[in-house]
Amino acid sequence: MCGICGFIEPAWGSAGRRPDEIAGIVRAMADSLAHRGPDGDGVWTDPSAGIALGHRRLAIVELSPLGRQPMESADGRLVLTYNGEIYNHLDLRAELEAAGVGLRGHSDTEVLVEACALWGVERTVGRLIGIFAFALWDRAARRLVLVRDQVGVKPLYWGETGTGGEAGGLMFGSELKALRAYPGWNAEPDRDALASFFRFGYVPEPHSIYRGVHKLPPGSMLTWEPGRGVTGIERYWNMRDFAGASPRERDPAEAVEELDRLLRDAVGRQMMADVPLGAFLSGGIDSSTVVALMQAQSGRPVRSFSIGFHETGYDEATHAAAVARHLGTDHTELYVARDHVRDVIPALPDMFDEPFADSSQIPTYLVSEMTRRHVTVALSGDGGDELFAGYHRYFWADAARRRLAAVPSAAKRAGAALFGGVSEPAWDRLFGLVPQAVRPERAGDRMHKLGAMLALPDDAGLYRGLLSHWDDPEELVPGSREPRGILWDRSVAAEIPDFIRRMQFLDAVTYLPEDILAKVDRASMAVALEARVPLLDHRVVEFAWGLPHSLKVRNGQGKWLLRQVLHRYVPQELVERPKMGFSVPVGAWLRGPLRDWAEDLLDERRMREGGLLNPVPVRRRWVEHLAGRRDWSDSLWGVLMFQSWSRRWLDGSAPVTAAERGSPALYGT
């Protein structure tokens, strides 16, 4: 689990640029990723071709120098720089050896480069079980290929250089930091991408916060060729193919058995490491399932880790501890003080590289920081909500959609005005009378969303409205034109007519890779911790999409099949409770201990001087939030994260110091 970077500049090769200069550039790019790989580094260059590959290593498998990268194939034709883990590398190794390929070490890196040499890139990536992003240079064909894993667990940014044609080149990196170290880096923010960020709290792929820099989509392969530049980006695996297929009815008992077997295999493969290993445990369905299957396959107590908060309604540590006691894990927990949270906030722009506004980034970093003190690898339960319909919003939105379908347009407009006039506390008092099991989280915010959705013309707009932090982000970013991605694509409804299944799919190709997985990757790699996600083994993903609705949702509750697997290992009463989510009380903190920090960043003059924000709607929401009339924490957190990022990366501020962030573990232990 590492950081990769590199570039191809054909003009440099023909101009005879000095080898030490080319090596120095790629080394500077790699050094910017040292937090991802503190165990070693490597560069490979071919000055005649103008190419350089860089690598920072976090040694997990094959700790000896035989695992070092960039790595050449035995025949010298291919050169690989790779970030990730191939969980079926032992199976592939056996096939390679049977085919007469002699392997020098025991790393999955060597298996990957030799498999590409023997079978070709396309055939190889179709056989990989793992999480990966890699660049492969073919010295004979002078072709560069970039590849990203099926679901998008590992990140990969890229951008073209030069003017196209023979002079055109390409640069790439695991994080934007690496691209910033490239000569002539043009740090021009993309207003259109910024508008998308304010809607969703993340910048959706293929865009990045910078104009001309892109994210390689999950399950994709990019090819660059001399004289032609980027010749195409092709999908070798597409979530839509599986989500759009018709599920078949299955015997429930057989489905439980098959999912148990599949998850055991996925978890077992991901427990292989030559370094200490553990797991995040919240006590919820997903993480409890992963830890239970780990413990079932371990001859000693598994290391499990959780964090807690003293604020009522945000603490899951007690539930995690109960599950840990039942399973017999070696459990560690940390209760977080507000001062610790405040210490992390100044480091977020460095950690995430582009604006990112899921406030659970804070507890994700904190649990990673604590876990890294004990282990180098941690398994996580991410992905269960998207695959097995676990989010409350699926059922809440589906019920709202059904009721709204029967409401005349005039009544919808009147309802929108009515909902918009009710205060947040009033809604919360009203929903305090509703049983907790069916109560929408943060009732006031949900009712505000419902008011905004009443006039939307279709299901796509309804769900998009539910996800939006700002309903009109173009008002917030003057001169922007928000990109219209898959959440505007009405053809999705024709392919996936079931509304809940469609919401699952849209989350799986947007929110999951761009928010959840990006958050876990940046927060864990900030402390050189490898995070693995067995529920997102692509075989589990394909199996989940083949399930009928009845095996995911029963009695208004999701994850039915996953729960049945978990109940084999953990008593139902320990895990069956209302879903809490991994969050922090940002709304209350912005009115309290974070108020001065927020006031500084939301100063009207400061926002206007940046030239990218219209401060009027921001100030309006800030005043309403402070007065308690609305909980605008989601939308305000986005502005605060952008302002903090802008101060760090656009205003030329100095890097965050250890004293400022107060956390010596950040970017290393």
Side-chain angles (χ1 to χ4, degrees), residues 150 237 242 262 387 537-547:
Q150 295 93 335
W237 189 92
F242 303 100
L262 189 56
L387 296 182
D537 180 310
H538 76 276
R539 300 170 302 160
V540 178
V541 174
E542 293 172 9
F543 171 83
W545 284 122
L547 295 171

Side-chain angles (χ1 to χ4, degrees), residues 640-656:
L640 290 165
M641 287 295 96
F642 169 71
Q643 286 290 90
S644 184
W645 173 86
S646 178
R647 180 180 290 184
R648 169 67 180 95
W649 292 113
L650 298 185
D651 299 347
S653 301
V656 178

Side-chain angles (χ1 to χ4, degrees), residues 457-458 460 486 488-495:
D458 54 27
I486 195 169
W488 282 262
D489 186 350
R490 296 190 179 186
S491 70
V492 176
E495 288 185 38

Side-chain angles (χ1 to χ4, degrees), residues 188-204:
E188 180 187 355
D190 186 333
R191 286 179 180 269
D192 299 341
L194 181 58
S196 286
F197 162 74
F198 282 124
R199 180 181 293 279
F200 300 116
Y202 56 83
V203 179

Side-chain angles (χ1 to χ4, degrees), residues 138-295:
D138 186 325
R139 301 174 73 178
R142 293 198 167 223
R143 180 186 302 115
L144 180 67
V145 177
L146 305 182
V147 182
R148 192 176 178 200
D149 66 62
Q150 295 93 335
V151 184
V153 179
K154 292 289 97 184
L156 191 55
Y157 291 88
W158 68 276
E160 293 182 276
T161 64
T163 58
E166 182 63 32
L170 179 142
M171 57 179 173
F172 66 89
S174 296
E175 296 181 14
L176 288 170
K177 294 178 185 65
L179 276 60
R180 290 191 187 99
Y182 190 77
W185 164 260
N186 179 18
E188 180 187 355
D190 186 333
R191 286 179 180 269
D192 299 341
L194 181 58
S196 286
F197 162 74
F198 282 124
R199 180 181 293 279
F200 300 116
Y202 56 83
V203 179
E205 60 90 359
H207 309 283
S208 82
I209 192 59
Y210 294 115
R211 191 174 300 278
V213 177
H214 319 280
K215 298 169 186 170
L216 187 64
S220 294
M221 179 187 312
L222 176 151
T223 303
W224 180 97
E225 295 181 350
R228 302 176 65 191
V230 177
T231 59
I233 298 176
E234 299 180 358
R235 292 271 190 176
Y236 67 86
W237 189 92
N238 196 336
M239 183 90 70
R240 194 164 181 168
D241 294 339
F242 303 100
S246 298
R248 62 183 179 86
E249 291 300 322
R250 307 180 55 128
D251 177 74
E254 291 180 359
V256 172
E257 188 63 37
E258 185 172 352
L259 180 58
D260 190 332
R261 178 192 58 77
L262 189 56
L263 287 177
R264 270 180 170 261
D265 184 71
V267 169
R269 289 178 183 273
Q270 298 193 27
M271 290 175 68
M272 290 189 294
D274 296 333
V275 293
L277 175 143
F280 300 140
L281 178 61
S282 70
I285 301 297
D286 303 338
S287 67
S288 297
T289 300
V290 169
V291 174
L293 291 171
M294 290 177 71
Q295 191 59 69

